[in-house]
Amino acid sequence: MKKKGLKTYSLDEVTDKHIGKKGTPKRDQFENELRLDLIGNAIKQARKERKLTQAQLGELIGVQKAQISKIENNLTDARFETILKVFRALNAKINFNVELMNQNMNLT
């Protein structure tokens, strides 16, 4: 009796099929939301490693605890300046990668 093998798919194949191909509005929105979620998780992890509460971190940068909670849980479009303040307060190194016209720029 011949066994039937399962077909495997890469993450890119599944994402292309269910979210949309790269460059489509739906895919761009998905990737943007994913990036914001990853930033929020990075902030939460760094804050916990520094043994800070959301209220303490908020006090360090001059915002309310609720704002830190919203950033960590991707419930708000935080200003870029606020995100930078948060990472500075956490003494975290930040790197941004910007892609322009198929050229990569690494901002360190």
Side-chain angles (χ1 to χ4, degrees):
M1 186 177 208
K2 188 176 179 183
K3 286 187 177 182
K4 193 172 186 179
L6 294 177
K7 170 120 171 84
T8 59
Y9 297 92
S10 71
L11 179 59
D12 285 335
E13 288 173 319
V14 173
T15 307
D16 286 351
K17 180 178 179 180
H18 295 285
I19 305 297
K21 297 219 180 261
K22 287 188 180 203
T24 61
K26 188 174 178 183
R27 178 72 174 259
D28 289 346
Q29 180 182 356
F30 169 79
E31 290 181 352
N32 185 48
E33 289 174 6
L34 180 60
R35 281 186 210 89
L36 292 174
D37 194 49
L38 292 172
I39 289 171
N41 284 332
I43 289 170
K44 187 176 195 174
Q45 181 180 355
R47 176 182 60 77
K48 287 183 174 187
E49 286 177 9
R50 305 292 191 270
K51 297 184 180 6
L52 293 171
T53 65
Q54 290 176 339
Q56 290 168 325
L57 179 56
E59 191 174 307
L60 285 173
I61 66 166
V63 300
Q64 298 292 317
K65 172 195 176 292
Q67 181 69 15
I68 299 300
S69 176
K70 287 178 182 178
I71 292 169
E72 288 182 356
N73 294 297
N74 192 21
L75 298 176
T76 186
D77 289 332
R79 293 178 53 201
F80 187 69
E81 180 181 332
T82 303
I83 300 294
L84 290 176
K85 284 181 183 179
V86 169
F87 281 118
R88 284 187 199 119
L90 293 169
N91 197 27
K93 182 179 177 182
I94 331 164
N95 292 311
F96 292 97
N97 189 30
V98 178
E99 187 176 325
L100 298 173
M101 304 289 286
N102 298 325
Q103 295 176 337
N104 286 326
M105 295 174 49
N106 190 7
L107 306 175
T108 313

